[in-house]
Amino acid sequence: MKIAIYGYGNLGRGVECSIMQNSDMELVGIFTRRNPDSVKPQFESTKVYSVDDILSFKDIIDVLIICGGSATDLPKMTPALAEHFNVIDSFDTHADIPTHFANTDFTAKSGKKTAIISVGWDPGMFSLNRLYASVILPEGNDYTFWGKGVSQGHSDAIRRIEGVLDARQYTCPVEEALNSVRRGENPELTTRQKHTRECFVVVEDGADKQRIEQEIKNMPKYFADYDTTVNFISQEELNKNHSGIPHGGFVIRTGKTGKNKENNHVIEYSLKLDSNPEFTASVLVAYARAALRMNKRGNFGCKTAFDVAPADLSIMTPDEIRAKML
Amino acid sequence: MKIAIYGYGNLGRGVECSIMQNSDMELVGIFTRRNPDSVKPQFESTKVYSVDDILSFKDIIDVLIICGGSATDLPKMTPALAEHFNVIDSFDTHADIPTHFANTDFTAKSGKKTAIISVGWDPGMFSLNRLYASVILPEGNDYTFWGKGVSQGHSDAIRRIEGVLDARQYTCPVEEALNSVRRGENPELTTRQKHTRECFVVVEDGADKQRIEQEIKNMPKYFADYDTTVNFISQEELNKNHSGIPHGGFVIRTGKTGKNKENNHVIEYSLKLDSNPEFTASVLVAYARAALRMNKRGNFGCKTAFDVAPADLSIMTPDEIRAKML
């Protein structure tokens, strides 16, 4: 199957690598809004085209993986492209998913295409685990913890403070809260009790570190509701020890069964990722396989991971999956 | 939707309780091979019928949950019943799944029914997690650990030894092996390195404990390949501390991404269950909902958890799932 990448940042680079790991897939190329000559792919064999030429590839591309941002790119790109291509995106603005779904469903159906949105790990694999766990244990509680991992949004927020040259912010789950959940204690947890925020900040020479630390710790929404620690380090140290984009987290559901609810159960799913964008990209690529199969069966319109039968994700035949994985 | 239970042991009792937790379900009754008058359900409202009368309920039962054993019951029951009913079973003899699938597929298709087999946690939720993890990380390694939990088969094997009155056997994962897997070390693990076996045994007065311990530890297949500990205890202590049927385990996949495979990822799914049969029953009940929905869409024949879109398991509408769970 022939896959193309629309947009080439960290996520697009991850998709480029992931396609190489899937022997039934071939990369048509990268479509960029920049001058194609200015884009340097990771593999020499990868072709780069302008997004202006995308429609001339309508009959060549089986699935287009859209690697844009959720804030402004995807709400426009995905509905527009879903009229002409089977598409996958990683739209992650939770509150806007119903609108994005409806817009994409309309165009995909009119073009007889299949679009799978909000693919990745959260939304994505974490969502699936919340669903599976809740249907098995209807009487129970759900908990999602994130980290330890880099939050780009929080790192950017620190960088906007006067005197800050660079910054990296880690979201960390609170171990004691995690363990209380695992013990089935069903704690009611405040924002502060679930996660801490750890910041590594590079400042200008002579900058007022005390002011910067206070500005960070008191920033509404981003930091004020959390226990935040601020570490001032050199650019060299930041580059050396904090250049990766790790992430991860935990989805835990505890619930009760039995005539008198006497039995407790804990279902836990966790991820520990060296590279958030490369892992997300790997999920997108697996769902590209499913999108093509569903489209061939006439299953048009917008879908999420909830609508995809797991077998459609695998390179193996149904017989092989049953023999090897069940 | 109207659910019936076929066979009433630990699993059937678990299904009876689980149906009470699902507000869209109603229990038609229990069908037993015993004299219906001799079966005492957990809830007064539950009706008990003879399996001989099952066909007269053909138009009343939406889904029949078959709670028989994998060794001799299910290979006959499921194909026979799938011609007349949508059915769910928990067939768990891994090597015989292809045959069981083919037999059930044939009858279900001829009766225009939907059968979902091998539902539970392994096979079942563990299988799903092996599949999801392997499609996301094609270059990686899978590990499944079981326990700490009671193995009925191993407990039964001990009870057959001369001089043994009762026994309970726990399968335990080896913590050091688990941690090596989590660290991404991709260890090659022998049977002995993955699990230990812990036995609690009640013997007759004056029985030769040393002989019994040796017979247990040297029993081929069951114990000889494991580090086994044997504890002799009183019947009272066994009843007091070892009457539950807990189980659980871990499915872990580690894999690499990136141009030079420089990034490691760990996906881990784990279960900690107070009651193995009640948890398994809860999974069966969720898949009963999916079986009816798939049947209404004309999706006939034999299926496994791999073929079921997660949304079909939920009592919520697709809109609600996207708004609340994605």
Side-chain angles (χ1 to χ4, degrees), chain A residues 199-218:
Chain A
C199 312
F200 294 87
V201 185
V202 182
V203 295
E204 289 169 1
D205 274 353
D208 181 348
K209 291 182 180 174
Q210 209 177 341
R211 173 195 47 89
I212 290 172
E213 180 165 344
Q214 288 310 312
E215 277 197 44
I216 294 172
K217 289 185 170 177
N218 296 318

Side-chain angles (χ1 to χ4, degrees), chain B residues 292-318:
Chain B
L292 180 60
R293 291 183 181 170
M294 293 169 81
N295 185 262
K296 284 184 174 170
R297 288 199 299 267
N299 198 343
F300 306 139
C302 191
K303 316 287 172 192
T304 71
F306 297 143
D307 305 306
V308 178
D312 276 335
L313 300 167
S314 175
I315 193 171
M316 289 191 273
T317 67

Side-chain angles (χ1 to χ4, degrees), chain A residues 102-313:
Chain A
N103 292 344
T104 304
D105 195 48
F106 181 80
T107 57
K109 277 182 178 152
S110 77
K112 297 196 172 174
K113 297 297 177 187
T114 303
I116 310 181
I117 62 160
S118 300
V119 171
W121 60 273
D122 197 1
M125 299 313 298
F126 273 19
S127 322
L128 283 177
N129 276 281
R130 285 188 285 263
L131 181 72
Y132 277 120
S134 71
V135 300
I136 297 170
L137 299 174
E139 297 183 22
N141 287 296
D142 261 336
Y143 295 87
T144 300
F145 292 86
W146 295 275
K148 180 179 177 176
V150 171
S151 165
Q152 301 282 9
H154 289 78
S155 302
D156 290 346
I158 299 173
R159 280 189 211 101
R160 286 191 291 265
I161 293 173
E162 198 191 319
V164 172
L165 293 172
D166 204 349
R168 189 59 52 115
Q169 193 268 180
Y170 296 93
T171 306
C172 309
V174 175
E175 196 69 26
E176 177 41 34
L178 261 173
N179 288 333
S180 169
V181 168
R182 287 181 181 130
R183 288 192 298 265
E185 294 169 358
N186 295 312
E188 300 248 355
L189 298 166
T190 63
T191 298
R192 192 177 297 276
Q193 287 169 324
K194 286 185 75 182
H195 297 95
T196 58
R197 299 199 176 276
E198 200 177 341
C199 312
F200 294 87
V201 185
V202 182
V203 295
E204 289 169 1
D205 274 353
D208 181 348
K209 291 182 180 174
Q210 209 177 341
R211 173 195 47 89
I212 290 172
E213 180 165 344
Q214 288 310 312
E215 277 197 44
I216 294 172
K217 289 185 170 177
N218 296 318
M219 199 184 297
K221 286 189 187 172
Y222 283 88
F223 295 100
D225 297 336
Y226 299 86
D227 287 340
T228 301
T229 55
V230 178
N231 305 283
F232 293 100
I233 61 172
S234 67
Q235 185 74 54
E236 292 69 40
E237 198 182 334
L238 190 95
N239 295 347
K240 188 176 161 227
N241 298 330
H242 304 283
S243 62
I245 319 174
H247 221 311
F250 305 81
V251 173
I252 305 174
R253 187 172 180 93
T254 57
K256 293 175 182 299
T257 65
K259 189 179 178 188
N260 304 304
K261 321 287 177 220
E262 64 273 29
N263 288 313
N264 293 300
H265 307 279
V266 184
I267 304 174
E268 176 168 342
Y269 180 79
S270 69
L271 297 174
K272 195 165 173 291
L273 314 175
D274 272 0
S275 166
N276 183 354
E278 287 180 9
F279 187 84
T280 301
S282 298
V283 182
L284 295 176
V285 167
Y287 277 87
R289 184 179 290 121
L292 180 60
R293 290 183 181 167
M294 292 169 81
N295 185 261
K296 284 184 174 171
R297 290 200 298 266
N299 199 343
F300 307 139
C302 191
K303 316 288 172 191
T304 71
F306 297 143
D307 305 305
V308 177
D312 275 336
L313 300 167

Side-chain angles (χ1 to χ4, degrees), chain B residues 6-7 33 66-69 72-82 100:
Chain B
Y6 194 96
R33 286 176 287 187
I66 310 176
C67 300
T72 55
D73 294 340
L74 296 177
K76 290 179 186 169
M77 285 177 183
T78 305
L81 291 164
H100 188 57

Side-chain angles (χ1 to χ4, degrees), chain A residues 17-18 20-22 42-43 94 97-98 101 117-118 122-139 142 182 253 256-259 261-276 278-279 282-283 286-287 289 302 304-316 318-319 321-326, chain B residues 17-18 20-22 42-43 94 97-98 101 117-118 122-139 142 182 253 256-259 261-276 278-279 282-283 286-287 289 302 304-316 318-319 321-326:
Chain A
C17 291
S18 177
M20 302 290 169
Q21 295 191 354
N22 287 277
Q42 293 184 89
F43 295 92
H94 287 259
I97 286 172
F101 183 92
I117 62 160
S118 300
D122 197 1
M125 299 313 298
F126 273 19
S127 322
L128 283 177
N129 276 281
R130 285 188 285 263
L131 181 72
Y132 277 120
S134 71
V135 300
I136 297 170
L137 299 174
E139 297 183 22
D142 261 336
R182 287 181 181 130
R253 187 172 180 93
K256 293 175 182 299
T257 65
K259 189 179 178 188
K261 321 287 177 220
E262 64 273 29
N263 288 313
N264 293 300
H265 307 279
V266 184
I267 304 174
E268 176 168 342
Y269 180 79
S270 69
L271 297 174
K272 195 165 173 291
L273 314 175
D274 272 0
S275 166
N276 183 354
E278 287 180 9
F279 187 84
S282 298
V283 182
Y287 277 87
R289 184 179 290 121
C302 191
T304 71
F306 297 143
D307 305 305
V308 177
D312 275 336
L313 300 167
S314 175
I315 193 170
M316 290 192 274
D319 281 344
I321 304 175
R322 282 192 295 272
K324 290 182 187 170
M325 301 244 136
L326 205 59
Chain B
C17 291
S18 177
M20 303 290 167
Q21 295 192 353
N22 288 276
Q42 294 184 87
F43 295 91
H94 286 260
I97 286 173
F101 183 92
I117 62 160
S118 301
D122 197 2
M125 298 313 298
F126 273 18
S127 321
L128 282 178
N129 275 281
R130 285 188 284 263
L131 181 72
Y132 277 120
S134 71
V135 300
I136 298 170
L137 299 174
E139 297 183 20
D142 262 336
R182 287 181 181 131
R253 186 171 180 92
K256 292 173 183 301
T257 65
K259 189 179 177 186
K261 321 285 177 223
E262 63 275 28
N263 288 314
N264 292 301
H265 307 279
V266 183
I267 304 173
E268 177 167 343
Y269 179 80
S270 69
L271 296 174
K272 194 164 173 294
L273 314 175
D274 272 0
S275 166
N276 183 355
E278 286 179 11
F279 187 85
S282 299
V283 183
Y287 277 87
R289 183 179 290 121
C302 191
T304 71
F306 297 143
D307 305 306
V308 178
D312 276 335
L313 300 167
S314 175
I315 193 171
M316 289 191 273
D319 280 345
I321 304 175
R322 282 192 296 273
K324 291 183 188 169
M325 301 244 132
L326 202 60

